[in-house]
Amino acid sequence: MPGHFEPIPGGGAAVALDDVEISIIRSLAVQLLELIGPGPAEDASADPLAELFAEGPSEPPSDPVLQRLFPDAYVDPEAAPGPREEEERRSRSAEFRRFTENDLRAGKRENALAVVRSLDALVAGDDGVAVLELSPEGSRQWLGALNDLRLAIGSRLDITAEDDTDLLYRLPDEDPRKPMVMAYLWLGGLQETLVTTLMG
């Protein structure tokens, strides 16, 4: 089980993590939470339906990581639209974003929070290793968070295609990106074994 997820009875997954691995994942999840931002302010006296009908932003975020996490809809990279088509696409995309981004952010926030909470609940043994056991729902939240973490790191590393990943393996040790690359590849391995576990 060390380093990869395995199935457990009841449809969940388990993985053994040492103190360093726990610290890395937790730190990355907290950074992701800070990037996504807080949820709507909780006000007990507010209309309970207000949040349901709250509109989100209509413009894409300026941060490249957030652009990757919350991409524009209705984008066809192969198309070369004229000015009128591009204006219509932007209008449709803005409308879509206005009514979906708040929910997307809430879902990503919940997934990252689930990761932090589950790691905080771990108790390591004498060898410094703890076994994280996830329910099926917890496994799905972890899968979503691992995907978001890899998208965020990949954006910072300017990874846009699978070919870019192959180049990462050949980075020299003195490259300042190396620690982030190692985290990216390691999280990818965790994500892959979790997908395999959930599909098994």
Side-chain angles (χ1 to χ4, degrees):
M1 182 188 310
H4 61 272
F5 280 96
E6 292 182 0
I8 57 174
V15 64
L17 299 169
D18 64 31
D19 288 340
V20 173
E21 293 168 329
I22 291 168
S23 175
I24 290 170
I25 297 173
R26 190 186 188 286
S27 174
L28 291 171
V30 168
Q31 290 175 53
L32 181 64
L33 283 166
E34 291 170 352
L35 188 64
I36 292 171
E42 293 180 15
D43 182 357
S45 65
D47 179 357
L49 295 177
E51 188 178 331
L52 182 64
F53 295 106
E55 293 183 5
S58 59
E59 292 297 318
S62 58
D63 187 299
V65 174
L66 290 175
Q67 288 175 17
R68 183 79 66 93
L69 292 173
F70 305 104
D72 251 345
Y74 306 106
V75 175
D76 181 359
E78 309 264 327
R84 184 169 180 219
E85 290 85 357
E86 178 61 17
E87 185 178 331
E88 288 176 5
R89 184 203 67 77
R90 285 180 188 274
S91 175
R92 288 195 309 271
S93 186
E95 192 76 359
F96 183 81
R97 182 179 294 279
R98 210 159 46 113
F99 292 108
T100 60
E101 188 168 313
N102 283 347
D103 286 342
L104 288 172
R105 281 183 185 261
K108 292 179 185 300
R109 193 179 298 113
E110 275 306 307
N111 290 343
L113 275 171
V115 167
V116 172
R117 289 176 182 142
S118 60
L119 292 175
D120 286 349
L122 286 180
V123 177
D126 294 337
D127 57 358
V129 175
V131 176
L132 172 69
E133 293 191 356
L134 299 171
S135 66
E137 174 61 21
S139 298
R140 285 187 288 275
Q141 288 180 306
W142 261 75
L143 188 58
L146 287 172
N147 185 62
D148 288 341
L149 288 173
R150 291 192 78 237
L151 284 173
I153 295 171
S155 178
R156 291 288 188 236
L157 293 171
D158 204 23
I159 297 170
T160 56
E162 195 59 38
D163 293 343
D164 295 338
T165 306
D166 296 336
L167 296 173
L168 297 179
Y169 286 101
R170 297 193 292 273
L171 272 184
D173 289 342
E174 59 272 13
D175 192 302
R177 298 171 295 169
K178 188 76 172 190
M180 199 54 74
V181 166
M182 298 304 293
Y184 178 83
L185 296 172
W186 172 59
L187 291 173
L190 280 177
Q191 183 182 17
E192 187 176 339
T193 61
L194 184 51
V195 168
T196 302
T197 297
L198 294 177
M199 291 177 65

